[in-house]
Amino acid sequence: MHVITGGGTGIGRALALSLARDGHDVLIAGRRAAPLEAVAQEGATAGGGTITAVACDLSTPQGVRALAERAGTKVDSLVHCAGGNPAIGRPASATLEEEAALLEETLAGNLVSAALTVTALQGAMGEGSAIVLLGSIAAEHGVGYYGPAKAAVASYAVGLSAALGPRGIRVTCLSPGYISGTEFFAGTMTEERAEALRSQTAFGRTGEPEDAVDVLRFLLSERSRHLTGQNIHLDGGAFTTR
Ligand SMILES: NC(=O)c1ccc[n+]([C@@H]2O[C@H](COP(=O)([O-])OP(=O)(O)OC[C@H]3O[C@@H](n4cnc5c(N)ncnc54)[C@H](OP(=O)(O)O)[C@@H]3O)[C@@H](O)[C@H]2O)c1
């Protein structure tokens, strides 16, 4: 069983359909039932694997418990796509209380959800399994609270790789740049902004969910057996590392 959080849309949806097409059984999670059910239906016609869905809020212990119950006792991989930037499309805070709520929501959706999901599922994972947490190029640029939250996710993955390595479990953080065809920007992306982001890449091209799927399929496979504890940037060279 492969568990993909945030599997109803964007990168998680594309990964779920890719795995199902190749005969794998997949469990997807998100807060809204409708997009999850649509992906499960699509998966039913895609190939030999199944996609089952559980609607739950992974920033809460009860939501994560619901996911863990459905996942059962054998989890081959966990890809944590659930997350996002709640500041997008929201007016600037008028009060300290509103600012505190935004900060808490951002950390809860990204860092807390990753930590709770891993905590609940890691007991069902064994030798050769893989965890991938979605970070972001925003961690390098410090975008609002979202960048710091994704930096924390990447740091969490480092400690986790050391803790789970002795059990043969690989842990990586995949940090994309701009990926189109997702709900991340909640309809706020303009042609001008998309062009500006495209021009920051070495290829002058926009990333797509399938670009992430190809890297994720490698990270879930035995071909990445000696790869753990890394933050992998997937951004067409928009942010380079050495
Ligand atoms: N698209 C980009 O340009 C980009 C760039 C860098 C990093 N990322 C990261 O990549 C990951 C995947 O995002 P995406 O690009 O595929 O965008 P997306 O389409 O917005 O996917 C995010 C998914 O996470 C789910 N989700 C959010 N909070 C959740 C919660 N508390 N509990 C359960 N599910 C939750 C959402 O569904 P519900 O709303 O129904 O819960 C949604 O399906 C995210 O972590 C995002 O921050 C995206």
Side-chain angles (χ1 to χ4, degrees), residues 127-212:
E127 178 80 32
S129 60
I131 296 172
V132 185
L133 307 178
L134 268 287
S136 173
I137 192 176
E140 311 302 334
H141 300 310
V143 179
Y145 301 133
Y146 173 69
K150 287 303 198 186
V153 169
S155 177
Y156 173 58
V158 172
L160 203 56
S161 67
L164 299 183
R167 288 174 47 201
I169 302 172
R170 305 182 302 280
V171 183
T172 46
C173 181
L174 180 67
S175 293
Y178 172 44
I179 304 284
S180 64
T182 76
E183 291 190 358
F184 181 82
F185 290 94
T188 63
M189 179 58 71
T190 61
E191 205 25 69
E192 292 72 30
R193 175 90 179 115
E195 178 52 36
L197 293 170
R198 190 160 41 239
S199 68
Q200 288 169 12
T201 71
F203 307 128
R205 85 178 270 276
T206 299
E208 297 167 1
E210 290 302 329
D211 298 327

Side-chain angles (χ1 to χ4, degrees), residues 10-57:
I11 295 167
R13 171 185 172 276
L15 178 64
L17 291 171
S18 166
L19 286 165
R21 268 194 298 270
D22 287 344
H24 298 283
D25 293 327
V26 182
L27 175 63
I28 56 174
R31 289 166 300 186
R32 293 163 297 159
L36 296 171
E37 288 308 329
V39 175
Q41 287 293 322
E42 240 183 296
T45 55
T50 60
I51 300 179
T52 50
V54 53
C56 55
D57 183 347

Side-chain angles (χ1 to χ4, degrees), residues 47-132:
T50 60
I51 300 179
T52 50
V54 53
C56 55
D57 183 347
L58 296 170
S59 64
T60 69
Q62 60 270 32
V64 170
R65 226 172 258 128
L67 174 69
E69 276 163 21
R70 292 292 289 277
T73 53
K74 190 173 184 312
V75 172
D76 299 306
S77 74
L78 164 64
V79 180
H80 188 67
C81 297
N85 184 356
I88 292 176
R90 189 185 286 199
S93 301
T95 64
L96 268 180
E97 285 74 15
E98 282 179 19
E99 194 67 2
L102 173 64
L103 174 55
E104 281 167 20
E105 204 181 315
T106 311
L107 289 171
N110 293 284
L111 177 62
V112 175
S113 70
L116 291 181
T117 304
V118 167
T119 302
L121 294 187
Q122 53 109 348
M125 304 184 78
E127 178 80 32
S129 60
I131 296 172
V132 185

